[in-house]
Amino acid sequence: MTRIAKGKSTVVARGTTPPNNVGKRSTPDYRSLTTKSIASFDGGASRAFAGQRDDPFFGDIGAIFDLVAIRKGTGNMGGGKDFFSGYGVHTFAVQVPIAGLAAKNGTIGVWASVDRRKVTTRGATTRDSGAWVQVNRLGNPLVNEVIIPTGLKDRWNALQPWSESEFRKYYTEPILAAVINKLYKLGAPETGRDDLVAVLLTGVPKLNFTGPKLADVLRLNLGIPVTKSPSRLGVLAGDNQGWPNGRRLGDDVIDIAEQAVGGFLKGTKLPLGDGVNADDVALLDAFPYVADPKSGFDNTKGQQK
Ligand SMILES: [Ca+2]
Ligand SMILES: [Ca+2]
C-alpha cells in the first residue's frame, strides 16, 4: 500500500492476499486466512486488507431493472430478494485513525476509480497494451446507475469527479423521478432538484457541505460522532452518520436513493424501497468488518437467506 502525502509517495505496508474461499477441504478455517493477511502500519494504528469477502451490497436488482418495480412500503417493506446473496467480491479495506487525517474535524471526500490498458488483443494468448485509461469511478453509490443517462455513462466514467458541472441537468431533472411518476404516479418532483445537487455534488449545508464546486465524492464529516444504534436509512431517519454523510456497510443505499430521488428533502416523503433491508450475512465486529465469503463448495448464489 502506498500513501501519497504532500506530493511524496511512501510504501507503508506490504502483504499477500488470502486464496479465495474454495471449500472446507481446500481452504479450511477461512477466517484465520483472512486475519493472517491483514497488514498493519503506522505502528499498529492502521490496517489494510485485500482479498475476497462477502459482497456487502444488498438489493433486489432483478426487480429494479424491471422498470424500477418499486415497492411502496407500508412500514413493513420486507420480502424482496437479495440478488447479491452468496456472491463474493474482491475487497480493499483500509482503516486509519481520524486523528491522523489533516481534516480531523472537517469533511473529507472519497472516491475510487478503475483503470485498464487501452488495447486488449485476443488470440492464442490475450495481451493488454498501451496507456492506462480510466474506465470506471465511484463516489456516491448509484450515481452512474440512477442519474447518468446510458449514452453518457462511458464518458462520465472516464472523467474525474470534479468534472460534474457538465452533467448538472441530470441531477436537477432526474430521469428516474420522471420514470417513477410515469409508471406509478407518485408525484416525485421532476425539476429544480437542487436538493440532489446538494446531496451528491456539494454536500448538504450543516451536514457535510464542502463549497460550491460540484464533485461526485463521498463526503464524510469527521466531526459527527459515531452513532450507537445506526439506522439503515441514515440521514433520512435522523442518523447523521449514515449516507449521504459517508457510507456504512449497513446503509440501505437503494432505499435511501429511491426516497431521495422521490423528493424526501423537498418534503415529498414516499415510502419507497426494494424490500431488502440488510445484507444476507452479519458483518464482522472487527477489521476488515466485511463478512467471510461463502465458499464455492456451499454455492448459495442468489438464494435468499
Ligand atoms: Ca451479501
Ligand atoms: Ca433496500
Side-chain angles (χ1 to χ4, degrees):
M1 202 174 111
T2 303
R3 173 182 279 149
I4 303 171
K6 295 174 184 161
K8 189 173 166 235
S9 294
T10 314
V11 175
V12 291
R14 291 182 191 279
T16 54
T17 61
N20 289 347
N21 192 357
V22 181
K24 57 192 174 185
R25 287 178 290 275
S26 305
T27 49
D29 193 8
Y30 197 76
R31 178 72 58 80
S32 76
L33 293 174
T34 300
T35 312
K36 277 184 223 157
S37 303
I38 294 172
S40 105
F41 56 104
D42 291 340
S46 303
R47 296 176 184 85
F49 169 84
Q52 192 192 35
R53 305 306 293 157
D54 169 68
D55 187 346
F57 190 58
F58 51 89
D60 196 340
I61 295 300
I64 290 165
F65 282 176
D66 183 17
L67 290 176
V68 194
I70 279 171
R71 180 182 296 260
K72 292 174 77 172
T74 54
N76 175 14
M77 299 195 292
K81 183 181 176 198
D82 182 3
F83 187 90
F84 304 95
S85 160
Y87 282 91
V89 286
H90 286 289
T91 297
F92 293 89
V94 180
Q95 183 173 49
V96 293
I98 290 174
L101 299 175
K104 42 177 116 24
N105 290 309
T107 296
I108 59 169
V110 180
W111 76 96
S113 63
V114 176
D115 291 45
R116 54 173 289 176
R117 296 276 197 187
K118 198 163 191 173
V119 178
T120 300
T121 310
R122 300 192 190 283
T125 56
T126 299
R127 198 167 55 87
D128 295 324
S129 59
W132 290 96
V133 287
Q134 181 177 307
V135 294
N136 181 248
R137 66 175 158 111
L138 188 74
N140 283 290
L142 303 172
V143 168
N144 177 46
E145 290 79 2
V146 169
I147 301 285
I148 306 301
T150 304
L152 294 175
K153 287 184 195 298
D154 283 352
R155 172 166 175 75
W156 182 86
N157 274 296
L159 294 172
Q160 298 301 318
W162 47 87
S163 315
E164 217 64 43
S165 56
E166 178 181 333
F167 302 91
R168 190 176 195 280
K169 73 171 178 181
Y170 301 108
Y171 293 82
T172 57
E173 299 173 19
I175 296 166
L176 180 63
V179 167
I180 61 177
N181 284 343
K182 202 170 177 66
L183 291 169
Y184 304 106
K185 299 187 172 47
L186 288 171
E190 294 182 25
T191 56
R193 298 302 304 273
D194 290 337
D195 59 317
L196 292 180
V197 172
V199 165
L200 300 169
L201 298 181
T202 63
V204 178
K206 296 182 183 163
L207 180 72
N208 56 5
F209 184 66
T210 51
K213 176 80 178 173
L214 306 185
D216 172 33
V217 294
L218 190 59
R219 291 174 177 78
L220 174 64
N221 183 342
L222 299 169
I224 294 176
V226 174
T227 310
K228 279 191 184 136
S229 306
S231 165
R232 70 181 178 90
L233 293 175
V235 172
L236 298 194
D239 170 10
N240 282 351
Q241 226 228 348
W243 190 56
N245 181 39
R247 177 188 179 181
R248 300 166 300 198
L249 291 168
D251 286 344
D252 191 341
V253 297
I254 290 178
D255 287 25
I256 297 170
E258 285 184 358
Q259 293 187 29
V261 172
F264 189 97
L265 296 170
K266 287 182 99 64
T268 308
K269 299 187 178 179
L270 302 172
L272 302 173
D274 66 350
V276 184
N277 294 349
D279 193 12
D280 56 314
V281 288
L283 299 168
L284 305 184
D285 58 9
F287 187 82
Y289 302 105
V290 191
D292 295 326
K294 294 267 172 48
S295 76
F297 178 87
D298 291 331
N299 188 20
T300 58
K301 292 181 181 64
Q303 293 172 26
Q304 213 174 341
K305 185 182 168 188

